[in-house]
Amino acid sequence: MRVMSIQSAVAHGHVGNSAAVFPLQRIGVEVVPVPTVNFSNHTGYGAWRGPLIAPADVAEIILGVEERGIFPRIDAVLSGYQGGVGIGDVIVDAVRRVKAANPAALYACDPVMGNAKSGCFVAPEIPALLRDRVVPVADIITPNQFELGFLTGTDPASVESTLASADLARAMGPSTVLVTSVERPDRAEGTIEMLVVDDTGAWLVTTPHLPFKANGSGDVTAALFTAHYVATRDAAVSLERTASSVFDLIETTYRSGERELQLIEAQDFYATPRMQFTARQVR
C-alpha cells in the first residue's frame, strides 16, 4: 500500500506527518510525505520557529511526485491540518489527479478545526473551506464530535444524534465517517468512544479515557484508520485495530510523564495491535 500524506511537519515531537508517517511505515505502508509547514515544534507550546510552505511550493513537490510516475500506485491521499485556503486548493487538485491516475484511490480528510474545550483554533476561513470544498471530495473523514457538529450545523451528543450528524456528513460526499471522540452524557464514567459509519452499518468502540491532552493522537488515528480501511474495507475491524493501537500509544505516553507522544516506544502496538476493544454495532 502507498499513501500520500499532505500535512505539517515538526522537528521536535510528533504531530502531522511527524506523527502519521512512522506508524504507517511500521504496519508496512509506503508513505509519500508532503510537508505543508516545517516547524520546530507544534504550536501548542505557544512559540515555534520555521516556515509555512507556500501553496505553490507544496504543489511543486506534488507535481514532482507525479512526474516520477507514482500517482497510479497511490492507494490513498491523506490530509490533516490546513494552514490556509491555498493549501486546501492544492490538496483538492492533487486528489483529482491521483484519482484520474488510479480510480480506486481513496481520499481521507481529517477536518482539523478545533475541539469542544478549545473551540476553533484554525484561521477563520478554514472551517468553511473544509465544509464547502474539501469534505465533499473526500471518501473518508475523521472529525471529532465538535468538528462533526460544525460541518453539519448540528450539536451531536447522544449516539443517536451523532449517527444523525454522521449521516448528514455522508450526504455531503464522504462514504465513511469516523468520529474520533464521542462524549455522550450517558457513557460509563472514565471512558471515551469512537464511532464509524459507512454504507454497511455503524459501530461504536469504548476505551478508557486518560486525563491528559496528547497532541498528534488524532493524526495517528486518522492515518492508521485510513490504512486499515484501505486494506480491509471493513469499518468495524479498522475501528478495532485503530482504537487498540492508539489507546496503547496514549497510555504509553501517559505513563512516561512526557508531553510528546511516545511514538517510537509504542511501535509494536501498531504492527501487532492487542485488539483489546470490541466494536459494537449500533445500526
Side-chain angles (χ1 to χ4, degrees), residues 189-244:
E189 186 176 354
T191 65
I192 194 166
E193 295 168 320
M194 289 198 291
L195 174 74
V196 67
V197 185
D198 73 355
D199 292 338
T200 63
W203 290 265
L204 189 74
V205 69
T206 304
T207 70
H209 181 240
L210 298 172
F212 83 122
K213 181 180 179 181
N215 292 92
S217 56
D219 302 320
V220 176
T221 300
L224 288 176
F225 179 82
T226 297
H228 290 314
Y229 193 82
V230 169
T232 67
R233 291 303 200 273
D234 188 314
V237 168
S238 301
L239 177 62
E240 289 172 344
R241 290 180 181 175
T242 302
S244 178

Side-chain angles (χ1 to χ4, degrees), residues 87-258:
I87 293 294
D89 292 336
V90 170
I91 292 169
V92 169
D93 182 62
V95 169
R96 178 186 59 79
R97 283 152 50 199
V98 167
K99 288 193 169 194
N102 177 14
L106 298 180
Y107 169 40
C109 170
D110 185 6
V112 178
M113 289 181 264
N115 56 60
K117 293 180 181 177
S118 305
C120 273
F121 50 65
V122 297
E125 64 271 18
I126 295 299
L129 165 75
L130 288 166
R131 180 191 61 210
D132 299 336
R133 290 161 59 189
V134 181
V135 165
V137 304
D139 300 289
I140 300 168
I141 60 171
T142 61
N144 59 36
Q145 206 167 18
F146 171 84
E147 292 160 343
L148 177 65
F150 177 85
L151 290 172
T152 58
T154 60
D155 187 20
S158 65
V159 171
E160 291 75 18
S161 62
T162 304
L163 279 170
S165 297
D167 287 339
L168 289 172
R170 293 178 70 236
M172 296 167 64
S175 59
T176 303
V177 176
L178 172 67
V179 188
T180 58
S181 59
V182 177
E183 299 187 49
R184 58 188 172 106
D186 57 342
R187 72 188 187 280
E189 186 176 354
T191 65
I192 194 166
E193 295 168 320
M194 289 198 291
L195 174 74
V196 67
V197 185
D198 73 355
D199 292 338
T200 63
W203 290 265
L204 189 74
V205 69
T206 304
T207 70
H209 181 240
L210 298 172
F212 83 122
K213 181 180 179 181
N215 292 92
S217 56
D219 302 320
V220 176
T221 300
L224 288 176
F225 179 82
T226 297
H228 290 314
Y229 193 82
V230 169
T232 67
R233 291 303 200 273
D234 188 314
V237 168
S238 301
L239 177 62
E240 289 172 344
R241 290 180 181 175
T242 302
S244 178
S245 296
V246 172
F247 175 78
D248 281 333
L249 166 63
I250 294 174
E251 185 177 48
T252 299
T253 304
Y254 180 63
R255 293 184 183 279
S256 75
E258 297 290 333

